[in-house]
Amino acid sequence: MLKINIYRYNPEEDKFPYMKKYEIEKPQKDIMVLDLLHLLKESDSSLSFRRSCREGVCGSDGMNINGKNGLACITALSEVLKGDRIDIRPLPGLPVIRDLVVDMTQFYNQYEKIKPFLQNDTSPPEQERLQSPADRDKLDGLYECILCACCSTSCPSFWWNPDKFVGPAALLQAYRFLADTRDLEKDSRLDDLADPFSVYRCHGIMNCVAACPKGLNPNKAIGEIKTMLLKGKNSKNIIASDGVTA
Amino acid sequence: MTNTINANNIKTLEFDALIIGGGGSGMRTSLELAKSGLKTAVVSKVFPTRSHTVSAQGGITCAIQSADPNDDWRWHMYDTVKGADFIGDQDAIEYMCSEGPKAVFELEHMGLPFSRFDNGRIYQRPFGGQSKDFGNGGQAARTCAAADRTGHALLHTLYQNNVKEGSNFLNEWFAVDLVKNSKNEVTGVIAFSIESGEVAHLKAQATVLATGGAGRIYASTTNALINTGDGLGMSLRSGFAAQDMEMWQFHPTGIYGAGSLVTEGCRGEGGYLINGEGERFMERYAPNVKDLAGRDVVARSMVLEILEGRGCGEDKDHVFLKLDHLGADVLNSKLPGICELSKTFAHVDPVYHPIPVVPTCHYMMGGTPTNIHGQAFTRVNSEDVIVPGLFAAGEAACVSVHGANRLGGNSLLDLVVFGRAAGMYIQKELKSGGGVDSASNSDIDNSLERLNRLNESNTGYDVASVKKELQTCMQNYFGVFRRGEFMEKGVSELEEIRNKAENIYLSDKSIAFNTSRVEALELQNLVEVAEATAISALNRNESRGAHARDDFPERDDENWLCHSVFDPNDKSLSKRVVNFAPNTMEAFPPKVRVY
């Protein structure tokens, strides 16, 4: 038998969240954690979680599975089971709306803060803007982010300062546009990040890298941004007004 | 939400334009409207980047003259007309193929990270059904790609630019039903916030259905779990027609067992299918283009191989997609997402081993009939009548550019071209004083009925089991091959399933993020779409494109070179003429479709 513990909280009924125990026959073949949740929902329809593509590209079903953040739809039971036990909790650090569903507002706010769109005010050519394959390659490992929040919600610095530290996911996107040869706002993008919190709360803990279900490396991108900031004209701003050093 | 809701106890939010759905077509429409100064909202049941456009892999087909400087949009048009088995509307196809380059370059200017050729231009790969010189010049390479993650790149780029333009999103809001006034004009929707449960009347002068497909009517589908045909469900319940609903594309390469899509780009890059005997069987079915024949042709060939005992695996119930001969470099640079998916869902690394695949429900060619401006129309006394206030774009719409079979890479083009067109038209119409009258309180109460009934249910059927019944029925009787007697059985089973779906017991009546309420409402939408599909399929007595009948194996141009229009009011099917009048050139006349 599989012993499953799931974080439950319904704001209308529960004063506090609790772990609900489920037991089901261990499936014959290896299934994904999302399949397991669907099985449980068939008998307990009140269990709530987000899901959409069920193939690891939409980023809906990030959750904490036996202590590690990941996407339920591409995490096989065989990878995560501890004996016959599995504990499933919402992504850590964000307010819980219900059960495994978290309020991602802070996460999305940080994303919007880095101006996640190409900025180039020159009038475009009739066709596409040219970009060499080598320059395009610089975007690999960056543009593939699916905004699942597995990285940012595994980051102690983000837990501590979700309002001021941009966090690994949005910083990865900040670097995606800094690295794009078609973007012309590098200086202003760096200006926006040149403070003690936005980037420099990253202390290289690397939880983001361990958590990313797409195999991306936000820590590396953050390192690149730090280098650009130090070499750039705004390096002075980094030792900030409140005396907090980077 | 558990007390009876009526027009007097919900709030009204008023907009100029309302877009239902935050996928590619919805966000392209909203982007067009964001710059217009009109008050617009996108109502999306998921955060926009979770929409199913994200799963599109291979690319967006368009004659941008990058791989071939002599490419011509007319060749693309010819391929699309032929691919559609001659029931795509040629004025709409002409518009899509000729406007396409503009729409693709716009995406690039917005930042879409297309892959590149050495000269810096957008990378294009060959896809099925593509030709040069109106079928006479050999295989074309016309599909613009961002590796094998084009849909992801496109959807995120559109969201990013909507953020830039300050578009207004009602994320994780679920649209329940259209609101109609006494003149049969659409005046908005009833919707609720999934998070808070708050129900509202969203009032608008223009309501755009950009709700995507409904692949979840089948048991085996490449479609996301959210593809439940919500827009079509709403419009059918409102009594508006649906067109060409028998035309469902089965993608040749869904991963066996899991259903996840494996892009046609794999075959475009040089991969091919083999049967249990190791034979490259498409050489027999399509001697010229082999594995790059139309999707309907390849899917049927695969099923025939399996039915004739030449499948792969213990049960001989699938075939293999062979890619290892392409080498690790090509696979890692051009098809990295496929390598990832294959390892996760088939436990196979395509660098070394073939991927087990099987035809899997993929795309709804039918939908709400529209003109090229996205205006929806319906049938009144066998005449097409525009529905004031109602628009549709993307997979939810049937404009119709895909006819009986969509070509790979044309869905992304469809949604940007017609999303944009709908946005432009709505702007023009509303700024010149067009619009609709308000709905009365009783009109609004009518649209609240379904939600109230569900909320007040004390007994009834269970969503999960009725959904399974529905999906099994559609899979068994309305799959790749169809036969009248089986379909009749399917239609009568669907009557029973409809009855159950209308009597669902919602055991969890809670307010906050109650996904079981959403799933019950989605199931009812699935049933509407399934019924339209079944009745349309049963009545089209011929084989054309994706609609293949054992009992009518030939195409019948004399009787069926036409659209089918399903009328939900009396569940009847009528015929509608196909447009053979493009504006700038002679029409392509129907001919035998060989690859």
Side-chain angles (χ1 to χ4, degrees):
Chain A
M1 294 298 275
L2 276 183
K3 292 182 170 52
I4 308 148
N5 296 299
I6 297 187
Y7 181 104
R8 299 298 308 266
Y9 174 67
N10 178 346
E12 295 153 67
E13 290 165 11
D14 305 320
K15 213 165 174 191
F16 301 103
Y18 63 99
M19 295 301 284
K20 183 166 179 180
K21 289 186 168 68
Y22 297 85
E23 276 199 13
I24 59 164
E25 198 84 36
K26 198 170 174 176
Q28 300 240 314
K29 59 171 196 175
D30 199 11
I31 60 170
M32 299 295 175
V33 172
L34 181 62
D35 301 326
L36 176 68
L37 291 172
H38 280 141
L39 280 176
L40 297 176
K41 192 171 173 65
E42 280 180 19
S43 52
D44 179 356
S45 66
S46 69
L47 176 62
S48 280
F49 49 91
R50 291 188 176 105
R51 83 286 181 278
S52 171
C53 75
R54 61 81 175 91
E55 57 188 17
V57 293
C58 79
S60 295
D61 61 351
M63 51 189 73
N64 186 275
I65 305 159
N66 270 349
K68 190 171 179 258
N69 287 357
L71 299 176
C73 60
I74 54 169
T75 302
L77 278 187
S78 61
E79 285 170 47
V80 288
L81 275 187
K82 288 180 178 155
D84 285 332
R85 180 173 164 169
I86 181 166
D87 292 5
I88 306 175
R89 294 181 163 84
L91 289 173
L94 295 177
V96 174
I97 297 171
R98 172 175 176 166
D99 299 343
L100 302 174
V101 178
V102 291
D103 179 350
M104 294 180 70
T105 309
Q106 284 174 331
F107 175 80
Y108 295 137
N109 284 348
Q110 292 297 352
Y111 177 65
E112 291 194 16
K113 203 153 93 185
I114 61 102
K115 301 193 177 115
F117 40 81
L118 193 84
Q119 296 182 78
N120 184 332
D121 286 339
T122 62
S123 68
E126 247 174 60
Q127 297 186 327
E128 70 269 48
R129 290 194 166 96
L130 299 181
Q131 186 171 49
S132 72
D135 282 340
R136 168 59 183 76
D137 284 352
K138 292 174 187 160
L139 308 181
D140 282 342
L142 306 173
Y143 83 95
E144 302 93 322
C145 174
I146 58 173
L147 300 178
C148 65
C150 284
C151 61
S152 292
T153 62
S154 70
C155 174
S157 300
F158 190 75
W159 297 339
W160 202 247
N161 293 111
D163 52 341
K164 286 188 268 187
F165 174 49
V166 170
L171 286 171
L172 187 79
Q173 291 316 295
Y175 185 60
R176 176 249 174 276
F177 289 101
L178 285 166
D180 196 320
T181 51
R182 301 169 296 173
D183 191 276
L184 301 182
E185 288 296 326
K186 292 200 175 32
D187 287 345
S188 70
R189 287 182 186 280
L190 288 170
D191 281 348
D192 290 346
L193 295 170
D195 64 70
F197 281 93
S198 295
V199 181
Y200 283 94
R201 286 295 109 175
C202 169
H203 300 305
I205 299 166
M206 304 281 273
N207 276 4
C208 55
V209 183
C212 179
K214 304 307 284 181
L216 309 178
N217 189 335
N219 188 69
K220 185 160 170 268
I222 294 169
E224 300 285 352
I225 299 175
K226 285 179 177 173
T227 306
M228 292 173 95
L229 280 169
L230 286 168
K231 286 186 175 166
K233 63 177 174 63
N234 19 34
S235 59
K236 271 192 244 97
N237 304 345
I238 294 160
I239 313 248
S241 48
D242 64 355
V244 179
T245 51
Chain B
M1 207 186 219
T2 43
N3 298 325
T4 301
I5 314 154
N6 61 54
N8 292 315
N9 61 19
I10 56 170
K11 74 175 176 194
T12 300
L13 302 172
E14 207 167 334
F15 302 95
D16 295 314
L18 204 56
I19 297 151
I20 316 297
S25 62
M27 287 208 288
R28 188 63 190 82
T29 309
S30 66
L31 193 55
E32 207 56 42
L33 290 169
K35 304 170 197 162
S36 70
L38 293 173
K39 193 179 173 196
T40 309
V42 179
V43 181
S44 179
K45 65 178 175 176
V46 293
F47 182 77
T49 63
R50 324 292 182 209
S51 306
H52 186 55
T53 306
V54 83
S55 290
Q57 298 171 349
I60 174 165
T61 301
C62 185
I64 60 161
Q65 301 179 317
S66 167
D68 174 3
N70 299 316
D71 200 10
D72 192 319
W73 66 262
R74 292 166 192 86
W75 300 348
H76 179 199
M77 179 178 169
Y78 167 82
D79 293 342
T80 304
V81 169
K82 177 183 168 189
D85 220 346
F86 299 94
I87 61 161
D89 288 320
Q90 297 202 13
D91 58 340
I93 298 174
E94 176 189 41
Y95 181 79
M96 177 177 80
C97 296
S98 60
E99 284 288 298
K102 213 182 294 170
V104 169
F105 293 139
E106 277 171 3
L107 289 170
E108 196 281 331
H109 299 152
M110 287 179 210
L112 200 157
F114 281 112
S115 301
R116 301 287 172 154
F117 283 121
D118 284 341
N119 65 4
R121 294 208 58 191
I122 293 172
Y123 175 73
Q124 291 184 294
R125 58 163 56 108
F127 248 54
Q130 288 178 1
S131 76
K132 298 180 183 187
D133 194 18
F134 309 106
N136 301 314
Q139 177 73 41
R142 193 174 291 130
T143 301
C144 312
D148 56 358
R149 303 186 181 98
T150 317
H152 169 276
L154 186 149
L155 188 69
H156 280 253
T157 301
L158 285 176
Y159 180 66
Q160 292 163 352
N161 280 270
N162 272 282
V163 168
K164 182 180 176 188
E165 301 296 340
S167 297
N168 179 27
F169 286 96
L170 293 174
N171 289 335
E172 297 185 325
W173 276 66
F174 187 83
V176 180
D177 267 309
L178 297 174
V179 178
K180 287 195 304 182
N181 64 21
S182 56
K183 289 157 71 182
N184 222 18
E185 299 171 331
V186 171
T187 65
V189 297
I190 296 298
F192 64 88
S193 156
I194 298 173
E195 179 180 336
S196 71
E198 180 190 22
V199 184
H201 170 212
L202 309 180
K203 194 176 163 193
Q205 300 299 317
T207 301
V208 185
L209 302 177
T211 46
R216 287 282 154 184
I217 62 171
Y218 288 96
S220 171
T221 174
T222 65
N223 283 197
L225 293 154
I226 57 170
N227 282 24
T228 52
D230 301 333
L232 207 47
M234 292 194 288
S235 70
L236 286 165
R237 268 192 303 277
S238 297
F240 300 129
Q243 179 171 275
D244 295 340
M245 289 306 296
E246 66 277 31
M247 300 303 180
W248 282 85
Q249 179 165 81
F250 285 77
H251 195 289
T253 54
I255 292 180
Y256 171 68
S260 300
L261 172 67
V262 177
T263 175
E264 187 169 310
C266 290
R267 282 170 283 136
E269 297 288 346
Y272 56 84
L273 297 163
I274 52 175
N275 63 20
E277 293 161 11
E279 182 205 8
R280 184 175 181 183
F281 58 88
M282 280 312 298
E283 291 180 334
R284 273 187 281 120
Y285 296 94
N288 296 320
V289 296
K290 306 182 179 86
D291 298 80
L292 289 178
R295 286 179 176 172
D296 55 331
V297 176
V298 180
R300 273 194 297 277
S301 309
M302 291 167 73
V303 173
L304 286 174
E305 288 300 299
I306 292 166
L307 290 176
E308 288 167 11
R310 291 189 295 278
C312 300
E314 218 170 283
D315 297 328
K316 299 190 171 193
D317 56 354
H318 57 277
V319 301
F320 281 139
L321 174 63
K322 184 172 144 56
L323 297 172
D324 58 295
H325 58 285
L326 301 178
D329 284 352
V330 169
L331 291 176
N332 290 329
S333 64
K334 298 291 189 331
L335 302 165
I338 292 306
C339 294
E340 214 180 292
L341 275 176
S342 174
K343 285 182 217 166
T344 306
F345 288 104
H347 308 293
V348 157
D349 183 347
V351 172
Y352 305 105
H353 301 288
I355 310 174
V357 291
V358 72
T360 305
C361 166
H362 184 56
Y363 189 85
M364 176 175 85
M365 269 78 74
T368 297
T370 69
N371 58 21
I372 61 168
H373 308 299
Q375 292 179 285
F377 52 81
T378 190
R379 274 281 164 108
V380 180
N381 304 329
S382 346
E383 294 222 10
D384 294 345
V385 179
I386 295 276
V387 182
L390 187 65
F391 295 77
E395 191 170 344
C398 182
V399 49
S400 137
V401 287
H402 309 305
N405 171 61
R406 175 173 70 76
L407 289 190
N410 268 355
S411 60
L412 292 185
L413 188 64
D414 170 3
L415 61 84
V416 291
V417 167
F418 293 105
R420 181 172 167 270
M424 293 191 300
Y425 184 83
I426 290 168
Q427 242 177 93
K428 207 174 83 187
E429 187 181 81
L430 296 190
K431 286 188 172 170
S432 61
V436 291
D437 291 351
S438 292
S440 68
N441 278 0
S442 72
D443 295 330
I444 295 166
D445 288 345
N446 283 341
S447 301
L448 282 162
E449 211 180 284
R450 183 167 78 110
L451 188 58
N452 278 325
R453 183 167 175 175
L454 185 65
N455 287 339
E456 288 159 10
S457 62
N458 297 317
T459 143
Y461 297 93
D462 156 67
V463 171
S465 57
V466 179
K467 197 192 295 173
K468 271 186 195 163
E469 248 182 88
L470 171 74
Q471 292 169 335
T472 307
C473 172
M474 294 305 292
Q475 193 78 30
N476 287 347
Y477 304 126
F478 303 94
V480 174
F481 285 105
R482 299 162 174 184
R483 186 181 300 176
E485 55 187 301
F486 294 148
M487 289 195 286
E488 271 166 25
K489 202 166 162 217
V491 169
S492 75
E493 274 183 28
L494 279 175
E495 274 173 45
E496 225 170 285
I497 292 168
R498 166 184 279 279
N499 180 41
K500 289 180 185 171
E502 282 173 357
N503 292 287
I504 289 291
Y505 171 46
L506 181 69
S507 62
D508 176 8
K509 305 277 202 303
S510 62
I511 290 168
F513 227 100
N514 182 343
T515 53
S516 64
R517 175 180 288 119
V518 173
E519 286 182 22
L521 295 166
E522 287 174 335
L523 171 66
Q524 292 169 346
N525 291 329
L526 286 171
V527 168
E528 297 292 344
V529 176
E531 182 182 68
T533 299
I535 291 172
S536 305
L538 177 61
N539 282 286
R540 186 182 274 273
N541 290 334
E542 65 153 357
S543 290
R544 180 186 301 272
H547 179 63
R549 289 193 55 165
D550 288 344
D551 45 356
F552 294 94
E554 301 300 323
R555 193 174 88 186
D556 175 4
D557 284 349
E558 203 172 305
N559 294 302
W560 286 102
L561 186 66
C562 60
H563 296 293
S564 64
V565 181
F566 173 75
D567 181 346
N569 300 301
D570 59 2
K571 300 183 201 274
S572 67
L573 202 74
S574 60
K575 297 178 181 181
R576 182 172 163 256
V577 291
V578 172
N579 179 292
F580 277 91
N583 289 310
T584 62
M585 58 197 294
E586 294 273 295
F588 297 107
K591 63 176 189 180
V592 180
R593 185 165 160 256
V594 283
Y595 284 104

